[in-house]
Amino acid sequence: GGARSSRRSSERHSGPCNECVICMDQEATITLSPCEHMITCAACTRALLQQRRPCPYCYEEIKDTNLVERSPEPWRTVS
């Protein structure tokens, strides 16, 4: 028999499920406007704005940003 090939690379990664596309370390929590892409963390969004860079996904000019408040997963809630 041949060796099994596993496509579970995402399970090996222990970081957030929707990570920032720039640093790939923090969770993407900022929605860029007007394109509405949520692909960057706060620190990387700040750097994009300071350098007047466009959205890293669609290259549309960033005119505004919104922090997205995520509700915690049920197993992480503190009573």
Side-chain angles (χ1 to χ4, degrees):
R4 270 187 170 166
S5 131
S6 175
R7 299 185 66 121
R8 295 183 181 181
S9 60
S10 63
E11 290 180 8
R12 289 186 306 212
H13 191 279
S14 60
C17 57
N18 59 327
E19 63 191 15
C20 172
V21 297
I22 297 174
C23 69
M24 301 178 85
D25 186 41
Q26 299 295 315
E27 184 177 8
T29 56
I30 304 294
T31 300
L32 307 176
S33 288
C35 66
E36 298 298 318
H37 288 123
M38 187 174 73
I39 56 174
T40 56
C41 68
C44 290
T45 300
R46 193 173 308 113
L48 287 173
L49 292 171
Q50 287 174 349
Q51 297 173 19
R52 299 186 185 274
R53 303 295 302 260
C55 169
Y57 185 77
C58 68
Y59 301 104
E60 187 167 349
E61 179 185 359
I62 300 169
K63 297 184 185 214
D64 195 15
T65 60
N66 293 302
L67 173 64
V68 176
E69 294 291 334
R70 294 192 165 269
S71 55
E73 291 86 1
W75 59 87
R76 290 190 181 174
T77 55
V78 178
S79 52

